[in-house]
Amino acid sequence: MTAFSSLSLSLCNYSVSNAMTAIATASLLSLPISLCRSSKLSSKKGVRGSSGVFAVYGEEGGLVEKKSSWGPLFDVVDPRPIAPQCKGKFLDVNQALEVARFDIQYLDWASSQDVLAIMLLHEKVVEVLNPLAREYKSIGTMKKELAVLQEELAEAHKQVHISEARVVASLDKLAYMEALINDRLLQDRSTTESDEASAALSTSTQSLDMVKRKVPHKSLDVSGPVKVYHPNLKNFWYPVAFSVDLKDDTMVPIECFEEPWVIFRGKDGHPGCVQNTCAHRACPLHLGSVNEGRIQCPYHGWEYSTDGKCEKMPSTRLLDVRIKSLLCFEQEGMIWIWPGDDPPAATIPSLQPPSGFVIHAEIVMELPVEHGLLLDNLLDLAHAPFTHTSTFAKGWAVPSLVKFLTPASGLQGHWDPYPIDMEFRPPCMVISTIGISKPGKLEGQSTQQCSTHLHQLHVCLPSSRQKTRLLYRMSLDFAPVLKHIPFMQYLWRHFAEKVLNEDLRLVIGQQERMIDGANVWNWPVTYDKLGVRYRLWRDALERGAKQLPFTK
């Protein structure tokens, strides 16, 4: 059974006034209601500065002509005679929605016809096996008829599964449209606020308070001094150090959520995390040393185990003294802690690179910016051709349109037109895979088209409200010999610092403006999607939402 229509909706550049509705209704709405391939679309010559939806219809023959008692049960109106004739036309938003409505009606009708076909074929089988018919037909004839009917039934069942898949795919595409609408609302609200404020100020300069009351509150406002971190943000496993940096006789001091901690290995070699403050005179413990699996204060020699218990007090009587400690585990080359008050999650997430990748560099940096601003920067690739002109994006062309494409619900996706996959993984990790052909060069339109890849992990630990501890891991699925070149790690660090410095001067400037009251998310656009979703996720977490957005 062939299909009736194949609706292929493609986007061109849309006028500014219709941008929101065009993206919400036309982006990637390809309702799969055909078994045949969708017709290839080409840009219409001479069309610039506007866009619409391009629709193409195919034809098919009738499904089932035989009348049956089953017919009334599947009596769904055939929408084909009243379907809009849109072949070769550019459609506006309302017309596109009308076409989509008819396509969904067609899916309903076609599915009914598929099921009806199966019912009629079953009736034919009953007729062939009718005892009265056996008097007039030979066994060989009946076998042939049954074989033909068996093939037709198999094909009909296959068609029902295809119809099911087409309906599911259509619903997924509509859900994706809904997500696009939600993501665009922030921008349009900002636009509405700006227009309302301008109109009010032009009519009267003495009604400023009234204007402020009329303008609705922004949905995404990140301005003013950074607030104290919400306790809900602490209830996650946080990677705080690489295992290679924690030797048996070394300590790693860190800050996490405004509190000082120190990590060291106990007698059993397992890591521990204790408060970096001696209980005696508040001396920083990391200034001391590790003695037989205990951290020794340099002031009076008090020694603490990984659970925070003071096990040795030279020159005095031993008292029951403890300092605060955190749950601390080691997994896949990283040290993790749980700084929250809630019971810890049962499992620690994996941050290992995909199969086939080899880790080439693990770098730790302390950066003078709030971790949310750094995450905003890492989740934004559209700035690369303008910011990183002397490092990895040197020579990148500036495309006319940059988009970040995500599933209907999720914190991951891929960049268009760059061959880069990216994901925000709660609470503070950014994972990306970049397809490359040679250093600094992009290849293909997706990572699947690329033969070699760079995989990156960025962990942005919130040290304080204006400081971030960054853990960076770089992996490659090519050139394994680079890992064995002497001093190569210093070259990787130099390059990573150079790239980060290109960002830092901008993000530090943002932070200064934000503290003075500027909103760093004042005007979100299409390529800000992943950053916006991170902010919406974080806002919902801090509000205590039962179901966090964009998460499974």
Side-chain angles (χ1 to χ4, degrees):
M1 178 172 52
T2 59
F4 157 55
S5 78
S6 173
L7 177 62
S8 300
L9 302 177
S10 64
L11 290 177
C12 305
N13 296 325
Y14 208 81
S15 59
V16 175
S17 61
N18 292 329
M20 184 265 175
T21 49
I23 290 179
T25 58
S27 286
L28 296 180
L29 176 58
S30 301
L31 297 181
I33 60 175
S34 173
L35 292 178
C36 58
R37 294 183 179 179
S38 300
S39 302
K40 294 183 178 179
L41 304 181
S42 58
S43 301
K44 192 173 182 179
K45 294 182 179 179
V47 178
R48 291 183 179 274
S50 63
S51 85
V53 182
F54 194 87
V56 179
Y57 282 89
E59 296 292 337
E60 73 162 6
L63 291 174
V64 178
E65 296 182 356
K66 180 175 179 178
K67 301 299 181 181
S68 168
S69 58
W70 295 106
L73 296 176
F74 298 93
D75 188 13
V76 180
V77 178
D78 183 354
R80 290 177 295 177
I82 57 174
Q85 301 300 313
C86 303
K87 184 175 182 179
K89 295 181 180 179
F90 284 89
L91 309 180
D92 62 23
V93 172
N94 293 327
Q95 290 172 323
L97 289 174
E98 185 70 5
V99 171
R101 185 173 70 85
F102 275 104
D103 270 2
I104 294 173
Q105 288 181 4
Y106 170 77
L107 287 174
D108 180 32
W109 174 81
S111 300
S112 299
Q113 299 305 298
D114 294 339
V115 177
L116 178 57
I118 291 178
M119 304 306 297
L120 294 177
L121 285 169
H122 276 287
E123 284 188 350
K124 288 184 179 180
V125 173
V126 172
E127 289 178 6
V128 172
L129 296 177
N130 189 333
L132 297 177
R134 293 177 188 174
E135 299 177 5
Y136 305 99
K137 296 180 181 179
S138 66
I139 298 298
T141 301
M142 291 178 61
K143 286 183 176 180
K144 289 180 180 179
E145 290 182 356
L146 286 174
V148 172
L149 289 174
Q150 187 176 11
E151 291 181 3
E152 292 181 3
L153 273 172
E155 184 63 28
H157 280 285
K158 178 181 177 182
Q159 183 62 38
V160 168
H161 292 309
I162 291 173
S163 296
E164 268 185 347
R166 293 194 317 225
V167 172
V168 171
S170 298
L171 294 176
D172 287 343
K173 296 293 175 60
L174 290 174
Y176 181 76
M177 287 175 57
E178 181 183 7
L180 288 174
I181 294 173
N182 292 334
D183 289 340
R184 294 289 300 191
L185 284 178
L186 292 172
Q187 178 180 350
D188 292 298
R189 286 176 184 173
S190 298
T191 305
T192 302
E193 293 168 16
S194 177
D195 293 343
E196 290 181 4
S198 299
L201 288 172
S202 63
T203 56
S204 173
T205 57
Q206 51 186 338
S207 59
L208 183 59
D209 292 337
M210 186 180 298
V211 171
K212 289 182 178 179
R213 286 195 299 270
K214 286 183 179 180
V215 175
H217 179 68
K218 288 180 179 174
S219 298
L220 193 59
D221 186 0
V222 183
S223 61
V226 181
K227 299 177 183 178
V228 175
Y229 287 116
H230 196 280
N232 289 346
L233 195 58
K234 299 180 181 180
N235 291 315
F236 290 91
W237 285 109
Y238 281 87
V240 294
F242 292 113
S243 296
V244 295
D245 296 330
L246 190 64
K247 311 298 182 185
D248 289 339
D249 58 349
T250 61
M251 295 169 285
V252 176
I254 66 168
E255 280 186 88
C256 185
F257 293 108
E258 311 278 351
E259 293 187 77
W261 305 92
V262 60
I263 302 168
F264 64 103
R265 294 190 182 275
K267 292 180 181 179
D268 55 5
H270 295 157
C273 180
V274 300
Q275 191 174 22
N276 192 9
T277 305
C278 183
H280 180 211
R281 301 281 293 276
C283 179
L285 292 175
H286 77 275
L287 299 177
S289 59
V290 177
N291 181 25
E292 296 180 348
R294 297 185 299 269
I295 190 169
Q296 185 184 67
C297 178
Y299 210 164
H300 297 93
W302 289 24
E303 297 183 9
Y304 300 88
S305 59
T306 54
D307 62 357
K309 182 180 180 180
C310 183
E311 294 187 343
K312 189 173 183 181
M313 291 180 180
S315 306
T316 188
R317 200 164 125 194
L318 187 64
L319 303 173
D320 185 15
V321 176
R322 287 180 177 270
I323 56 177
K324 188 177 178 181
S325 65
L326 297 177
L327 283 174
C328 183
F329 284 94
E330 185 172 17
Q331 176 178 287
E332 297 176 344
M334 303 189 83
I335 311 297
W336 299 71
I337 63 171
W338 181 275
D341 296 326
D342 287 357
T347 58
I348 297 176
S350 175
L351 297 180
Q352 281 288 85
S355 176
F357 282 81
V358 175
I359 297 173
H360 283 256
E362 291 181 332
I363 300 169
V364 180
M365 302 182 190
E366 301 290 343
L367 306 177
V369 293
E370 194 270 330
H371 94 290
L373 288 176
L374 186 59
L375 283 169
D376 290 341
N377 174 266
L378 293 171
L379 295 172
D380 172 18
L381 190 67
H383 73 281
F386 305 97
T387 304
H388 300 291
T389 54
S390 62
T391 53
F392 71 91
K394 186 176 183 179
W396 281 21
V398 179
S400 58
L401 184 65
V402 177
K403 296 177 289 183
F404 188 79
L405 308 177
T406 67
S409 176
L411 292 167
Q412 71 286 330
H414 64 274
W415 287 92
D416 180 12
Y418 303 120
I420 299 177
D421 299 333
M422 186 171 285
E423 173 188 358
F424 167 70
R425 185 170 298 180
C428 65
M429 283 81 82
V430 177
I431 300 173
S432 60
T433 302
I434 304 173
I436 55 178
S437 57
K438 58 183 67 175
K441 300 296 182 182
L442 296 177
E443 170 189 306
Q445 292 298 309
S446 68
T447 53
Q448 289 77 15
Q449 296 176 354
C450 302
S451 57
T452 54
H453 304 83
L454 163 69
H455 185 269
Q456 297 184 110
L457 166 68
H458 292 84
V459 178
C460 302
L461 182 70
S463 299
S464 69
R465 283 177 281 178
Q466 293 186 35
K467 189 163 58 175
T468 300
R469 178 178 174 85
L470 175 67
L471 277 63
Y472 174 73
R473 172 187 278 171
M474 186 198 75
S475 307
L476 303 174
D477 63 356
F478 64 98
V481 68
L482 293 177
K483 188 176 178 66
H484 305 290
I485 297 177
F487 308 111
M488 194 66 191
Q489 67 270 27
Y490 298 106
L491 181 61
W492 289 130
R493 184 178 185 90
H494 169 75
F495 183 75
E497 289 178 343
K498 190 173 181 181
V499 173
L500 263 176
N501 285 334
E502 290 177 326
D503 284 318
L504 276 180
R505 64 189 183 93
L506 308 179
V507 180
I508 291 174
Q510 277 185 300
Q511 183 169 261
E512 292 172 353
R513 301 294 188 272
M514 183 184 76
I515 292 174
D516 290 338
N519 182 10
V520 297
W521 276 105
N522 197 46
W523 204 277
V525 294
T526 53
Y527 52 66
D528 292 325
K529 176 180 292 186
L530 190 55
V532 168
R533 288 191 174 189
Y534 155 66
R535 286 293 178 176
L536 294 177
W537 171 87
R538 182 170 166 180
D539 180 65
L541 176 73
E542 294 177 350
R543 285 188 286 103
K546 293 183 179 180
Q547 178 62 44
L548 297 179
F550 315 115
T551 55
K552 295 181 181 179

